[in-house]
Amino acid sequence: MANNTVKTTVRKESFINRMGGQKFIVLLVAIALFLVFCAASPGYRKTTTFITILDYSYYIILMGIGVTFPLITAGVDLSIGTGMVCYALVGGWLIRFHEWPTGAAMIVCILFGMVIGLLNGFLVAIMELPPFLATLCTSMITRGIGSVIVGGFGIPWPTAGADNAWYRNLFKLSNGSTIIPIGLLWMILIVIIMSFVLNHTKVGRYTIAIGSNKEATRLSGVNVRFYHILAYVICGFFAGLAAVSYAAVVPTVQPGTGAGFELEAIGGAIIGGVSMSGGIGSVTGTLAGVFVIVLLKTGLPFIGLTANWQQIITGLVLIGAVLIDIIKTKREQIK
Amino acid sequence: MANNTVKTTVRKESFINRMGGQKFIVLLVAIALFLVFCAASPGYRKTTTFITILDYSYYIILMGIGVTFPLITAGVDLSIGTGMVCYALVGGWLIRFHEWPTGAAMIVCILFGMVIGLLNGFLVAIMELPPFLATLCTSMITRGIGSVIVGGFGIPWPTAGADNAWYRNLFKLSNGSTIIPIGLLWMILIVIIMSFVLNHTKVGRYTIAIGSNKEATRLSGVNVRFYHILAYVICGFFAGLAAVSYAAVVPTVQPGTGAGFELEAIGGAIIGGVSMSGGIGSVTGTLAGVFVIVLLKTGLPFIGLTANWQQIITGLVLIGAVLIDIIKTKREQIK
Amino acid sequence: MGEVILTMKEIDKSFPGVHALDHVNLEVKKGEVHALMGENGAGKSTLMKVLTGIYTKDSGTITFEGKEVEFHNSREAQDAGIVIVHQELNMLGHLTVAQNIFIGREFKKGMRIDDKKMNEEAKKLFDRLNIDIDPKETMSKLTVGKQQMCEIAKAISHDAKVIIFDEPSAALTETEIEELFKIIRDLRSKDLGIVYISHRMDEIKVITDRVTVMRDGTYVGTLITEDSTKDDIINMMVGRVIYEDPKTESMVPKDAPVVLKVEHLKAGHMVNDVSFELHKGEILGFSGLMGAGRTETARAIFGADPIESGDIYINGKKVVIKNPQDAVANGIGYLSEDRKRFGIVVDKTVAENTTMANLDNYMSGIFIDKKKERDVAQKYVDDLATKTPSVDQLVVNLSGGNQQKVVIAKWLTRDCDILIFDEPTRGIDVGAKSEIYKLMNQLAADGKAIIMISSEMTEILRMSDRVVVMCEGKKTGEIGIAEATQENIMNMATREIG
Amino acid sequence: MVAGLLAGCGGSSKSTEKAGSTAASSDGGSYHFEVVVKSFQSTYWQAAIQGMEQAKEELGITYNPTGPNAESDIADQVNMLNSAINAEPDGIALAACDASAVLDSLQTALDKKIPVVCFDATVPDAPEGSVYSNVVTDNGAAGAIAGDKLYEAVKDKLGKGKVRVGEINQDATSANITERGMGFINKFKELAEADGHKVAVIGNDFYVGKVEKNAAEADADIVLEVAVPSQTTVDLCTTEALNIMNKDDTIAIFGSNQVAAEGVIAANANLNVLGDKIVAAGFDAGTAQKAAVKDGTLLGSVTQSPLMMGKGAIETLTKICNGEKVEMEQPTDAAWYDADNMEDKEIAPNLYD
Ligand SMILES: Nc1ncnc2c1ncn2[C@@H]1O[C@H](COP(=O)(O)OP(=O)(O)OP(=O)(O)O)[C@@H](O)[C@H]1O
Ligand SMILES: Nc1ncnc2c1ncn2[C@@H]1O[C@H](COP(=O)(O)OP(=O)(O)OP(=O)(O)O)[C@@H](O)[C@H]1O
Ligand SMILES: [Mg+2]
Ligand SMILES: [Mg+2]
């Protein structure tokens, strides 16, 4: 008897895969790290520590979310680290030496970030420069520009308590003794919005499509250049936002710094499952990945490791976090 | 009538293309930069300056040649910067605190580099970690290990004139007043050898093939894993060599440093025409690219630019150097 | 057939080193299926790419619906009503089927892309076209055949006036082709103009109304299909007559030794308890429907995918094949069905690809002997009549069929005793096809053993000495060529076992 | 000013409040301190840790040293400081990378009544009462020592046409380096102007911007050129030094920390101008610099006492915890060393390899 239908055995997906695979593992790693640090150090399990960790995670999270977009297009943005510091410098300089209102300076930060993003996008999408090189160059340029504009001096943004320091309350409300880290709420909100953008809007869809197969996307009649540039502009936008949150925690923004932050953000994104060869990635994954990095950075000193050992352990844990998923996937394939 | 021959209009290649395209342009840029700096600064056109520039270019050149291999496999090695410093530290520590002969310490440097290369290769080729992340992690690990082994202290290699400082003569012979930079000869020799390896041996052929289409290469019966790992081991070997040449020029090797050197080497390779998406690149191109970077780094202070402007100009020149070729290619395509 | 909707006149196009189109003409009417034929590299795809704005023409005119047009990109062509199903797959592997089909024209609900509606629409489309694909599946997980059907569905979903199919059937099985023809007839009845490119003569006779033939970038002529014979068309294409008759009896001597024996092979998701024997000098055809597991069987034998259980004997000796190296060392060669992904290194030269599997023979000391390499590459370019300006041409610039010839050359340099040809003539023109057939017969006569996986029934019947039929990962039958007919093979290919 | 002895952790207020959680501290004996240094990058900080190690053995306390990877990782250090505060130690010894970056954290420490002792670098705007004591080298004075010595050495060459004096500073952000750099500039300028010379300071914007009554380059007979590399690496310090040392009118050069001084030494490797044509001074120690001082390549160098600072910081914290009274400013001296005195027993221990 002929039977034309093909039997489709329902593939039993593992619990982890149903929860989002690597993302989920990384989240577990983050939670595990947190618990280990809490167990090992009394100082770590305090609310105040938690708030401090959050304070210093916002800008890395924001940069990570932003850089997820160029990464998904199979590009990269190395300029966000020094760029972020550059925008914060320029914003602080406007407030301090030109008496701009804080709000206006914040907008300048974000716009400046978008302009550099536009430049990166132009170089990559129109001039077809390799993203690694193009953004390495803009990274140098922004580092220089920031210092030149402010004249080499460190710039403090309005400190807590000053008139125009309301922006600090964006990240942390302190009612006398209790401190509410509302920055965390913002992060959650932004992650939700950007997840939506990535998964349910044209911008996100075409970002993924460009990373999957740029030429095929172009042949489908998509304005590839526009969306390719947009990915970098989004990244720049978030670097600008990160500048604001950075200025809110670091009393003085120092020119010449910032190199290395981009690696934390990019590293977080990759651990969170973003593929550097493009087409794959999620904002929630990036969030989880960045958390792992931030937790390691803040937690290792608490368990009494010196700087050198912190480096070694960070490297090993990050490799481990990614390996878990890879080994799991391999085992499943063999089955 | 069957006519199997294809009509071929003889392609008129431009002079630049016949000379090697981007490589050649980059070489021209390097020469132009050199001439500009010489013209602008009397200090720059001295032999001694030239020799110092060479001294500080060897380790970047060596790292650049090495990293060309992982780059061609569509990977990257971010660990060479801190790695190189780590090997130099360990080598110097053996000489100083364990009275090892210099030659033995040099061999340790190189072997250590190859071991880290092997680790990178294992993580990338066998465990299939993203190269960016895997080598970022080993970069942290080597930074930590170097400091831990030497106990955090800066390590000077035997200074010129000391008994066991013969290794310095490998790079520079000084007969009283005249100094012969024989390091340059070594570099030329190494470039010739590695060009040969890349273009005329199996190792090179398969490195390129892996970068172009790894799966097709595997299905041709090539031991892809072996050659993929080998690319990283070669890179590690050169990082070890670079460590020796670095130790020969800096008075003290400081733990915790080295981050950023890898970007100069990778940047140089990319400017010299190596494609980060794999399959394309040449050792001579890398050499030219690294020269552009080294010249900018050493020349800009001489024409009176302050640090910030040096950054900006470096970024702009590098973008320009790559753009020339891209614009040229585009124009040819439109024709 | 209605009025003329599209005219291309005196189209000229050159690439560096190649004069791809030399004053070519083409005229398409409403409600006709117009075949575009020609050998590999004749310029068919290039002509269509010029039409749809992917390449800019050097000279000539395009008239569409009475107006002269010039499209600058595929979007403009699409908007005007000309869509194309490309010869090379253009999928976005990371997106779902529905997302692929509606890329660039998503349904929206406010800001939000309405994926639900897209899935529904895709489902409707598939139902109408009688295709069984889950719109929510990720594209890269589908087989080549299913991906091709998605591409076709995507083209049809446009509200087009002219649809171009560039070798749609190359990746499809017989049943799928039947479905495709139903779809095309339906489109024809709706007064669309259809350009159909294919190398399969049978199809041309069945589905098309007129045929335009190209040769070496020039226009040869246009025929009415009904009024012309297969031989007329072939003659116009290659300048001679080629005969393709089914094989009637096995050429293999009865006592030929078994070179390859596979026992109870189990691998991957699909291959389940497959056993067969392959004799010296034999061409063993593997037939079956799409997804029958033939490719996976071949890949498992070749070591490309891990084997779960089962034994492989070569010349009576049990061998362990863990990876392609082991297979190659044991004298097995494998020509993949997906040449772009697994067959060639596209951005390397013809010469480099030719020696890829056998570099050891082209070394002098530790150095590659480039002269020897180019010589052997040139030899196979001549033998297989590969159309390329030189052996230094990058493979990416060759036409699809010529790329296939380069892959064949790769395995021929390596003198393997056992060759697995997975869809060896996919996308190859009649002339070259007969060359490859001749070559396979020659190889078999020289004592090589060949497994030929093919979805083209005529090919199976013409070439095989024996046929193995698979269905759903199991071997469902084995039949000598003398007894094999289209009917009994189809029967086995759809047989429920156990 | 004498600060906060009553709030010391061994004092009554805290021990009653926290009797349960920090039982050990109420013994008055084994205190635990958090130490945040600028980095572990340089041997300088290792010498400081060595001093702490000595204090640990003498006083029977425990401490936990942390620090960022580079002195420019300001945010990292603030982070570590916050972590240290949250660990609620009996006291914190801090060497701040950036004086204004730690202000918020110091406020938190004050709120939590954790005493802070700054060593190596001060925090001038620290919240009242948060910093109990500063154990620091007066960097301005230390830089001035080099200025003084170099001026003495080149005095005779002045007044015969325009001359150039170089200064290499590793960066323009850290307080130590900038104070030292300015200390040198101001001293040299002051001495030269006292002798009737006109001094123009040129080069890095930051330093030039801090000079008062700067002369125009065209009018001056002494040009003081300040160079800062674009990154704090030896090779870039070398290039900057090379540039200045290659100029015909250069007569002296000063490198204001180990990296900068080694840059000067490295630049001389091929040029061979130090000693006779150009007089050079360094700062800090290290094998290369010590060798250069010994063979006369460098006229001499300035050393701080990192060991004493580290030890002093821990001792001071212990005193505070014991409720003893401590001085707000506890300067540790910097000293000039040259080929003649570098073996002296007051000098030699500070000259780390
Ligand atoms: N981008 C390109 N650069 C250089 N040459 C090209 C390019 N595209 C096509 N060609 C050449 O133009 C000629 C025509 O190619 P085309 O792809 O149109 O052939 P085709 O008729 O579609 O062949 P097939 O049946 O094999 O698909 C070939 O010789 C091919 O090598
Ligand atoms: N569980 C599964 N998950 C994903 N894909 C599957 C699964 N089972 C089977 N497949 C697909 O079915 C295919 C098995 O068929 P195979 O390609 O071997 O068939 P074939 O007879 O060669 O057909 P084709 O003509 O399509 O090449 C695999 O390539 C695989 O992509
Ligand atoms: Mg074609
Ligand atoms: Mg198949």
Side-chain angles (χ1 to χ4, degrees), chain B residues 1-11 196-197 199-202 205-206 208-209 211-213 215-225 278-280, chain C residues 16-17 19 22 215-216 238 299 302 304 324-325 328 340-342 344-345 347-348 352 355-357 359-360 363 366-368 370 373 385 387-389 410-411:
Chain B
M1 285 134 286
N3 181 356
N4 263 330
T5 54
V6 178
K7 268 178 273 174
T8 44
T9 48
V10 177
R11 184 136 68 135
F196 243 103
V197 169
N199 297 317
H200 296 280
T201 71
K202 267 202 218 176
R205 175 65 60 85
Y206 291 150
I208 296 171
S212 293
N213 187 340
E215 196 52 23
T217 309
R218 189 174 80 94
L219 291 181
S220 298
V222 176
N223 189 343
V224 161
R225 287 181 166 185
I280 301 173
Chain C
H19 194 170
D22 187 358
R215 192 197 304 158
D216 286 334
V238 296
R299 283 177 61 92
F302 189 64
Q325 280 153 262
V328 171
K340 211 174 178 183
R341 248 161 75 201
F342 303 133
I344 43 168
V345 181
D347 54 2
K348 292 292 153 233
E352 284 168 335
T355 57
M356 183 63 91
L359 205 46
D360 283 328
M363 305 287 287
I366 59 163
F367 298 118
I368 297 166
K370 294 214 169 164
E373 177 174 58
K387 263 187 207 126
T388 171
K410 175 169 88 179
W411 290 110

Side-chain angles (χ1 to χ4, degrees), chain C residues 22-26 212-215 217-222:
Chain C
D22 187 358
H23 299 93
V24 177
N25 301 320
L26 177 71
T212 289
V213 177
M214 293 173 65
R215 192 197 304 158
T218 57
Y219 172 78
V220 180
T222 305

Side-chain angles (χ1 to χ4, degrees), chain C residues 45 87 166-167:
Chain C
S45 299
Q87 179 177 11
D166 193 349
E167 291 193 44

Side-chain angles (χ1 to χ4, degrees), chain A residues 188-246:
Chain A
I188 292 171
L189 192 69
I190 288 173
V191 166
I192 291 172
I193 293 174
M194 293 319 288
S195 273
F196 178 82
V197 168
L198 188 59
N199 297 317
H200 298 286
T201 69
K202 272 198 194 181
V203 175
R205 181 65 45 84
Y206 295 156
T207 304
I208 298 172
I210 289 169
S212 284
N213 187 340
K214 190 176 161 191
E215 192 53 23
T217 310
R218 194 175 72 87
L219 292 180
S220 302
V222 174
N223 188 344
V224 161
R225 288 181 166 186
F226 174 78
Y227 288 99
H228 203 177
I229 293 177
L230 192 58
Y232 286 88
V233 174
I234 290 174
C235 184
F237 171 84
F238 277 98
L241 266 191
V244 175
S245 72
Y246 183 72

Side-chain angles (χ1 to χ4, degrees), chain C residues 146-410:
Chain C
K146 285 192 177 178
Q147 287 172 356
Q148 182 66 283
M149 288 311 273
C150 291
E151 292 270 323
I152 292 166
K154 175 178 166 184
I156 289 167
S157 70
H158 282 91
D159 194 15
K161 298 181 181 116
V162 170
I163 300 186
I164 299 149
F165 293 97
D166 193 349
E167 291 193 44
S169 55
L172 301 183
T173 52
E174 303 277 329
T175 35
E176 286 173 314
I177 292 170
E178 278 309 312
E179 290 300 331
L180 176 65
F181 284 180
K182 265 191 227 152
I183 295 165
I184 290 179
R185 288 197 189 97
D186 179 51
L187 294 170
R188 174 167 60 187
S189 70
K190 289 182 182 141
D191 246 10
L192 269 74
I194 291 159
V195 179
Y196 189 88
I197 300 175
S198 173
H199 291 296
R200 298 187 180 179
M201 296 315 293
D202 307 335
E203 294 177 356
I204 301 301
K205 286 298 284 181
V206 172
I207 191 77
T208 67
D209 302 306
R210 290 197 295 166
V211 185
T212 289
V213 177
M214 293 173 65
R215 192 197 304 158
D216 286 334
T218 57
Y219 172 78
V220 180
T222 305
L223 300 173
I224 309 255
T225 315
E226 238 179 294
D227 304 344
S228 42
T229 66
K230 207 156 119 179
D231 293 344
D232 292 339
I233 300 169
I234 295 177
N235 198 11
M236 270 175 91
M237 277 168 65
V238 296
R240 68 200 141 99
V241 181
I242 289 169
Y243 298 100
E244 279 186 51
D245 291 323
K247 220 182 225 181
T248 47
E249 60 183 306
S250 170
M251 310 300 240
V252 191
K254 289 262 173 315
D255 57 348
V258 174
V259 285
L260 174 74
K261 190 163 132 192
V262 175
E263 276 189 343
H264 308 296
L265 185 73
K266 201 167 167 340
H269 299 289
M270 279 303 276
V271 184
N272 204 349
D273 197 24
V274 172
S275 309
F276 66 89
E277 288 181 351
L278 175 67
H279 299 90
K280 189 174 157 90
E282 183 181 38
I283 298 178
L284 179 62
F286 263 63
S287 190
L289 297 178
M290 184 186 79
R294 296 163 298 167
T295 297
E296 289 206 353
T297 305
R299 283 177 61 92
I301 295 170
F302 189 64
D305 295 328
I307 295 175
E308 239 167 88
S309 63
D311 299 320
I312 297 173
Y313 300 87
I314 289 178
N315 294 323
K317 238 177 65 206
K318 188 169 165 183
V319 293
V320 180
I321 294 175
K322 286 212 213 71
N323 50 43
Q325 280 153 262
D326 296 343
V328 171
N330 278 304
I332 306 177
Y334 172 63
L335 193 114
S336 166
E337 64 176 340
D338 189 345
R339 71 172 162 261
K340 211 174 178 183
R341 248 161 75 201
F342 303 133
I344 43 168
V345 181
V346 286
D347 54 2
K348 292 292 153 233
T349 65
V350 171
E352 284 168 335
N353 271 282
T354 305
T355 57
M356 183 63 91
N358 196 22
L359 205 46
D360 283 328
N361 282 357
Y362 303 96
M363 305 287 287
S364 69
I366 59 163
F367 298 118
I368 297 166
D369 186 340
K370 294 214 169 164
K371 178 159 182 316
K372 207 167 158 195
E373 177 174 58
R374 297 179 77 254
D375 287 348
V376 72
Q378 189 61 52
K379 173 179 176 296
Y380 283 108
V381 163
D382 296 341
D383 285 2
L384 304 177
T386 314
K387 263 187 207 126
T388 171
S390 84
V391 294
D392 299 323
Q393 177 72 304
L394 299 185
V395 172
V396 69
N397 292 333
L398 298 190
S399 74
N402 285 308
Q403 293 181 355
Q404 184 76 351
K405 291 183 188 172
V406 174
V407 191
I408 294 176
K410 175 169 88 179

